[in-house]
Amino acid sequence: MKVMTPIDRITLLLTGLLAAYQVVVGVSDKDPLALVSYTVAFGVLLVAGLLLIILGFSILDAPSVAAVSSLIPLALSLGLITEHVPSAKVPYLVFAVLGFIAIVLAKFISAEKVGVLVLALVHGISGLVIFILPLFLSLQGTTPNRFVFVGVGGGLIGIGGILFSFLKTGNPLLDKKTIYRLLPGLLLMMTASFVWGFTAV
């Protein structure tokens, strides 16, 4: 297990501060469901960063962490759909709720590989929404160009999801220590991209 360095802790602290800023400042004047969704996403990100600082990388091995962390892409993508594609709000809310329930059940009841498959499927769909929708809206001129950085953040969260999915299946793209070494920087870049993109709208 990789030992968390002071640089890792500082990076995670900056991530937490950015997430806290987005919760306090960046999610006002939204549709109530979008407001709740964004608050949940960045709130979970804030708590995850603080827990990593306090407990270290070993917390990532707990089954509950994968289930709770799935709230980040699910809630964020739900907020984007609610705000920018309101006609799809209800069906996507149903998907998000059922997807989270499926992840929890698969993690605590089913075999490990089934849990990874369900997690990858739900993360994949929500990650694509976060990545593609801001790009489409920016190119269409519906939102300012800087909103594209929300999609960049979605791409980064997708990279992290892929790395951890392959790690859990026993066929890692990178060794565990390397993934944990990259994680704090990846989380900071992802959160910074989200905050920078959301300040455009």
Side-chain angles (χ1 to χ4, degrees):
M1 178 66 65
K2 180 187 181 298
V3 176
M4 188 168 288
T5 66
I7 295 296
D8 292 333
R9 295 183 192 280
I10 291 170
T11 303
L12 289 168
L13 179 60
L14 290 173
T15 300
L17 290 173
L18 282 172
Y21 168 84
Q22 189 64 25
V23 169
V24 174
V25 178
V27 295
S28 58
D29 302 324
K30 305 286 186 186
D31 174 283
L33 180 57
L35 178 63
V36 170
S37 299
Y38 292 143
T39 301
V40 167
F42 287 101
V44 171
L45 187 56
L46 168 61
V47 172
L50 292 176
L51 287 176
L52 277 168
I53 292 171
I54 296 167
L55 301 175
F57 291 115
S58 60
I59 194 176
L60 296 172
D61 293 329
S64 57
V65 170
V68 173
S69 64
S70 67
L71 284 170
I72 298 172
L74 276 173
L76 195 55
S77 59
L78 177 59
L80 288 169
I81 290 290
T82 300
E83 189 174 5
H84 298 285
V85 193
S87 60
K89 175 171 67 174
V90 174
Y92 197 84
L93 173 61
V94 172
F95 160 76
V97 171
L98 293 180
F100 181 69
I101 292 172
I103 288 171
V104 172
L105 291 176
K107 279 289 174 186
F108 292 101
I109 298 174
S110 303
E112 177 70 18
K113 289 194 174 180
V114 174
V116 171
L117 181 62
V118 172
L119 187 66
L121 179 62
V122 175
H123 267 253
I125 293 172
S126 55
L128 282 173
V129 170
I130 301 169
F131 178 64
I132 293 173
L133 185 57
L135 297 177
F136 176 75
L137 293 171
S138 297
L139 290 173
Q140 205 178 35
T142 308
T143 58
N145 290 336
R146 199 167 79 227
F147 191 62
V148 76
F149 278 93
V150 175
V152 173
L156 292 170
I157 203 173
I159 291 170
I162 289 168
L163 289 175
F164 275 97
S165 292
F166 276 94
L167 180 63
K168 293 294 184 181
T169 60
N171 301 294
L173 297 175
L174 299 170
D175 65 85
K176 194 173 187 176
K177 278 192 174 182
T178 301
I179 293 173
Y180 286 177
R181 190 180 301 119
L182 294 173
L183 181 62
L186 194 63
L187 288 174
L188 178 58
M189 289 189 294
M190 177 194 76
T191 308
S193 296
F194 284 144
V195 172
W196 182 243
F198 276 118
T199 56
V201 294

